């Protein structure tokens, strides 16, 4: 994940270093009050947590395990400015003490693994949280979505930097397709892990989750006559009250979020086979014909002709996939319940 | 930690010298193999001067492996006229580019390995303090380095407890258990951060007081450190 030295030329590396330093300076300024009140130890320990949590093996399905990248997780847990400080500290230590990531690419890495995921993740949170019911648990799907979007966004940002200061002449279409396609997969794993960890924290100490602080549901007051009235919950009250919402809502919201994610993911994923195709095309070209490979650069294949219908069909396929998955899941749940009841009744 | 002239050099000099050398390596134009070789010789000389175990250096160089794979794929996807290598047609410029990329990345990682293997965390913090890293970031780094092992230990204990209770953590259905462990370590870490802060305040710490202060480097140390990037720059200028 870390970009090493030499991928981007010297001037681009220096420019990204300057941008990253500016972003970190802004974060220092904006988080100053927070750090002064809560103390530097809190931020430092959170950085240590992100550093250590990156080494945990998470099962992400199909017998594989994934590692946390941590940008979206830090954003949701401690807020954007402190998160950027934490990630910068992690990257500095990895670069200087563990030789992980290049020395001259430090700025690039802070930009790609700190600034971009945090900015994109914040936008996603701001967009998604108002649509979800106002209670702490809503942060869980929002965190997952932020993680899912932020990883391909970082890949796209890398492609952009490469277009400006790449040292090797690779067809940009191929690079973008391959990077984004591959990172949509990584993003799906990151989303799973981030949502699971945020869910675990929300279940026990929702008051610690930065993105959930303003999501306390209103207090429901019942007076002597049994009349109900709502009062805004005090911001400092510890603990979280049970949601005073009908129980049907979460399923519908969950379905809607899943549909949106699936639509988006398949939109982006539809670029992946194209990427592989074009790599294969380039390979076949390299092996066979003698004319310049640039003439048939995949960019030309990414013209207007194919865009509208594959995008639509990809999104539709994603939605259909969700519908089928939900149907299969509901069917399995129903079947297991019926089977369990039958088994229990035969045993009794 | 071993001892050598490289180890004894103040950390701020080492950081500046090695970052400068990495920059020189990145700035070498493509295909200048002699210059890359000269830079490699310089860095290997530093490794020898620091008496670093070869095995350790090689193991740490393995960080680069994923990018080596990327570089090896480059000749096949890059544009440009074809050349035949071992009977396979590949892009000629792509081959040069891949070699250049590999050379630059290896030199950069080697410089980072020299810095990482000859500098203790405490010295590095002092050096960064002398290099005017903003104090809040420096204290975040300090606490992070101090507590990284503590948090890693917490995570290890949680893992052992989880495995003892039957969730090996290699199936998707164990994801919840793994995440719950990590989440509880976050809560513990957060609370530990609050306790540490209060304990420091109770003992008279005033926020804003610097936690680490590095020793200043003598001009001789700066000169010794500057010799490395200067030699690299000279080699790149002379060897064409």
């Amino acid at each position: 994940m870390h970009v090493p030295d030499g991928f981007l030329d010297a001037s681009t590396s220096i420019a990204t270093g300057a941008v990253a330093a500016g972003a970190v300076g802004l974060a220092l300024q904006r988080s100053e009050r927070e750090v002064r009140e809560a103390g530097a130890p809190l931020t430092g320990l959170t950085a240590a947590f992100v550093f250590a949590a990156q080494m945990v093996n998470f099962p992400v399905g199909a017998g594989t395990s994934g590692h946390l990248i941590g940008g979206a997780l830090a954003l949701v847990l401690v807020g954007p400015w402190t998160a950027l400080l934490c990630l910068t500290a992690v990257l500095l230590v990895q670069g200087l003490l563990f030789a992980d990531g290049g020395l001259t690419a430090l700025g690039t890495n802070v930009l790609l693994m700190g600034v971009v995921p945090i900015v994109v993740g914040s936008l996603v949170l701001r967009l998604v949280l108002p649509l979800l019911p106002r209670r702490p648990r809503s942060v869980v799907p929002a965190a997952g979505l932020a993680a899912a979007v932020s990883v391909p966004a970082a890949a796209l940002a890398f492609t952009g930097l490469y277009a400006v200061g790449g040292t090797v002449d690779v067809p940009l279409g191929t690079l973008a397709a391959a990077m984004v396609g591959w990172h949509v997969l990584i993003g799906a794993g990151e989303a799973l892990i981030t949502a699971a960890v945020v869910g675990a924290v929300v279940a026990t100490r929702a008051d610690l989750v930065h993105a959930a602080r303003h999501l306390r549901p209103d207090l429901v007051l019942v007076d002597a006559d049994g009349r109900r009235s709502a009062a805004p919950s005090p911001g400092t009250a510890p603990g979280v009250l049970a949601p005073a919402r009908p129980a049907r809502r979460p399923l519908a919201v969950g379905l809607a979020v899943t549909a949106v994610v699936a639509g988006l993911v398949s939109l982006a994923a539809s670029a992946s086979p194209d990427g592989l195709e074009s790599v294969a095309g380039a390979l076949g070209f390299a092996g066979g014909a003698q004319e310049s490979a640039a003439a048939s650069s995949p960019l030309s294949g990414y013209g207007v002709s194919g865009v509208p219908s594959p995008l639509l069909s990809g999104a539709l396929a994603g939605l259909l996939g969700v519908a089928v998955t939900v149907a299969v899941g509901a069917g399995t749940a129903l079947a297991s319940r019926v089977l369990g009841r039958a088994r229990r009744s035969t045993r009794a | 930690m071993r001892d050598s002239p490289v180890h004894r050099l103040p950390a701020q000099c080492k950081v500046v010298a090695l970052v400068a050398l990495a920059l020189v390596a990145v700035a070498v134009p493509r295909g200048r193999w002699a210059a890359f070789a000269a830079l490699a010789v310089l860095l290997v000389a530093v490794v020898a001067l620091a008496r670093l175990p070869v095995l350790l250096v090689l193991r740490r160089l393995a960080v680069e492996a994923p990018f080596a794979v990327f570089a090896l794929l480059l000749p096949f996807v890059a544009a440009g006229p074809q050349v035949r290598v071992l009977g396979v047609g590949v892009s000629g410029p792509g081959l040069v580019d891949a070699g250049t990329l590999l050379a630059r990345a290896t030199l950069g990682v080697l410089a980072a390995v020299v810095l990482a293997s000859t500098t203790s965390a405490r010295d590095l913090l002092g050096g960064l303090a002398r290099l005017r890293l903003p104090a809040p970031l420096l204290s975040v780094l300090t606490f992070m380095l101090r507590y990284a092992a503590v948090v890693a230990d917490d995570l290890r204990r949680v893992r052992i407890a989880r495995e003892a209770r039957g969730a090996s953590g290699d199936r998707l259905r164990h994801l919840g258990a793994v995440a719950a462990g990590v989440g509880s370590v976050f809560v513990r870490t957060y609370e530990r951060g609050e306790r540490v802060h209060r304990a420091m305040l109770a003992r008279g710490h005033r926020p804003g007081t610097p936690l680490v202060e590095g020793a200043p480097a003598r001009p001789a140390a700066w000169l010794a450190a500057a010799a490395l990037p200067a030699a690299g720059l000279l080699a790149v200028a002379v060897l064409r």
Side-chain angles (χ1 to χ4, degrees), chain A residues 47-79:
Chain A
F49 168 76
V50 172
F51 180 69
Q54 281 180 347
M55 296 178 224
V56 175
N57 275 315
F58 287 89
V60 289
T64 56
S65 65
H67 288 269
L68 201 60
I69 303 168
L73 181 65
L75 162 72
V76 170
L77 289 181
V78 295

Side-chain angles (χ1 to χ4, degrees), chain B residues 7-91:
Chain B
H7 287 82
R8 280 193 297 271
L9 210 59
Q12 59 266 39
C13 306
K14 272 187 279 190
V15 170
V16 171
L18 288 165
V19 169
L21 191 77
L23 259 180
V24 170
V26 171
V28 174
R30 57 191 283 275
R32 289 258 212 99
W33 307 121
F36 284 126
L39 290 178
V41 167
L42 272 175
L43 272 173
V44 169
V46 175
V47 169
L49 189 63
R51 269 173 271 150
L52 295 176
V54 178
L55 225 62
L56 174 96
V57 174
L58 287 181
R59 191 145 29 89
R60 290 195 139 183
L61 275 180
V63 172
E64 201 199 351
F67 297 95
V69 172
F70 179 88
L72 289 180
L73 284 177
L74 268 181
F76 297 102
V77 296
Q82 304 289 306
V83 292
R84 294 191 78 77
V85 178
L86 300 175
V88 185
V90 295
S91 155

Side-chain angles (χ1 to χ4, degrees), chain A residues 171-175 274-275 278-279 281-282 293-303, chain B residues 77:
Chain A
L172 278 179
T174 315
L175 185 66
D274 286 350
S278 53
V279 172
S296 72
S297 139
L299 264 177
S300 57
Y302 278 83
Chain B
V77 296

Side-chain angles (χ1 to χ4, degrees), chain A residues 112-132:
Chain A
L112 290 179
M113 296 172 73
V115 177
V116 170
I118 286 173
V119 170
V120 172
S122 301
L123 284 178
V124 171
L125 285 184
R126 194 166 288 183
L127 230 65
V128 170
L129 277 179
L131 303 177
L132 297 174

Side-chain angles (χ1 to χ4, degrees), chain A residues 2 4-7 28 38-39 42 44-45 49 52 59 61 93 96-97 100 104 167-168 170-171 196 200 205 208 213 283 286, chain B residues 23 63 67 70 74 76-77 82 89 97 101 104-105 108 116 134 140-141 144 171-172 175 179-180 182 186 189-191 193 197:
Chain A
H2 295 76
D5 291 304
F7 260 63
L28 280 171
L42 193 59
L45 272 129
F49 168 76
V93 166
L96 295 177
L97 278 178
D100 200 356
T104 61
T167 49
V168 179
V170 180
R205 288 290 304 272
L208 295 190
R213 278 183 191 165
L283 271 173
Chain B
L23 259 180
V63 172
F67 297 95
F70 179 88
L74 268 181
F76 297 102
V77 296
Q82 304 289 306
D97 284 337
L101 190 65
R104 284 178 183 156
V140 168
L141 274 175
M144 182 196 156
R171 298 284 184 78
L172 187 57
L175 177 67
V182 174
F186 170 73
T189 308
Y190 197 99
E191 288 170 347
H197 182 54

Side-chain angles (χ1 to χ4, degrees), chain A residues 80-110:
Chain A
W81 304 112
T82 313
L84 184 54
L85 288 191
C86 290
L87 291 170
T88 306
V90 169
L91 289 166
L92 268 174
V93 166
Q94 284 172 339
L96 295 177
L97 278 178
F98 293 86
D100 200 356
L103 292 175
T104 61
L106 211 51
T108 312
N109 282 323
V110 169

